[in-house]
Amino acid sequence: MRKIRILPSILAADFSDLGADVRAVVEAGGDLVHVDIMDGHFVPNISFGPDVVKAIRKSTDAPFDTHLMIAPADPYLEAFARAGSDIITVHAEAGPHLHRSLQTIRALGKKAGVSLNPGTSETAIECVMDMVDLVLVMSVNPGFGGQSFIPSALDKIRRVKAMIAGRDIALEVDGGVTAANAGEVAAAGADYLVAGSAAFKGGRAQYAANIAAIRTAAESAIGVLV
Ligand code: DX5
Ligand code: ZN
């Protein structure tokens, strides 16, 4: 049976107390920490860089899933690897040398991910499927938390699932995932569910209930006994 993993996106965390919030959301049931890096160029927003990732790395042993929404990405891969990322995901749209970026991530000893914007066909990654450990289907246009899930992402998830064809590649979905749509998302084939606002809403006392609601919805939809 497929295992569902919930990845709180710390873009929605309390930046004034980030280390403690990262620890709290993992203790509340987050499986991996989704770390959103934005450069104000590839996406119209800026988040934080490798020094912040390194600082919060001390707060938990949970794996760090670093989502690079930056272009170019290649000059910064080593810094994010050294900062303690376990998975590093680059966007297929971020530059002309996706193959090289993925080679570099694996050469740094990290798992390699590739992400697709809502407007990019999955055919863009056909030639690199044997070089990735994770495919990230964006279900919003990247740049901001709190946006609504774009329904056409569901068909793309199904198509990417077919392309994975049983290989050991995680299928991650990011953007507007909530307990209300986690079932559809999981049923379409996703196993890594990123949740920003839906995980962090209501403050620390709510994190565990928020994450449990997303997990239960996803697992019920794919028939995991809960
Ligand atoms: C969007 C980011 C997401 C975002 C998700 O550009 O990549 O990871 O934080 O936030 P929600 O779950 O609120 O859409
Ligand atoms: Zn993200």
Side-chain angles (χ1 to χ4, degrees):
M1 189 57 71
R2 278 194 300 132
K3 187 166 164 43
I4 296 291
R5 292 184 174 80
I6 309 296
L7 297 89
S9 160
I10 57 168
L11 198 60
D14 176 359
F15 279 14
S16 72
D17 198 10
L18 193 53
D21 230 21
V22 167
R23 190 176 306 116
V25 86
V26 171
E27 283 171 3
D31 297 304
L32 297 88
V33 178
H34 184 81
V35 181
D36 285 307
I37 308 298
M38 302 177 175
D39 65 352
H41 167 73
F42 180 68
V43 291
N45 195 8
I46 297 175
S47 58
F48 49 82
D51 289 345
V52 171
V53 179
K54 187 175 175 189
I56 58 174
R57 182 63 282 189
K58 302 184 193 88
S59 298
T60 178
D61 292 330
F64 274 18
D65 171 45
T66 300
H67 177 194
L68 295 182
M69 289 163 275
I70 65 176
D74 290 7
Y76 304 99
L77 295 174
E78 186 173 352
F80 284 103
R82 285 185 188 278
S85 306
D86 296 279
I87 306 168
I88 300 178
T89 297
V90 291
H91 268 261
E93 307 86 358
H97 297 296
L98 176 59
H99 189 284
R100 177 183 290 142
S101 303
L102 296 169
Q103 269 183 329
T104 304
I105 295 167
R106 283 199 166 166
L108 288 163
K110 305 300 177 182
K111 289 189 175 175
V114 64
S115 182
L116 297 166
N117 280 334
T120 304
S121 166
E122 65 282 0
T123 55
I125 59 171
E126 259 168 9
C127 297
V128 296
M129 286 302 286
D130 281 325
M131 305 179 66
V132 298
D133 302 288
L134 176 148
V135 177
L136 167 51
V137 173
M138 288 305 301
S139 41
V140 297
N141 287 298
F144 302 93
Q147 304 180 77
S148 297
F149 187 88
I150 297 172
S152 63
L154 290 171
D155 274 337
K156 193 189 283 180
I157 297 165
R158 288 186 198 101
R159 296 194 298 270
V160 171
K161 181 73 178 173
M163 283 169 68
I164 289 173
R167 282 175 280 198
D168 186 18
I169 298 173
L171 178 41
E172 180 172 45
V173 177
D174 182 10
V177 174
T178 66
N181 60 26
E184 285 181 297
V185 170
D191 41 24
Y192 278 37
L193 274 54
V194 176
S197 345
F200 285 92
K201 68 178 180 189
R204 276 184 205 163
Q206 291 303 312
Y207 295 171
N210 293 343
I211 292 168
I214 299 166
R215 192 188 305 281
T216 302
E219 290 183 344
S220 314
I222 60 166
V224 175
L225 289 177
V226 288

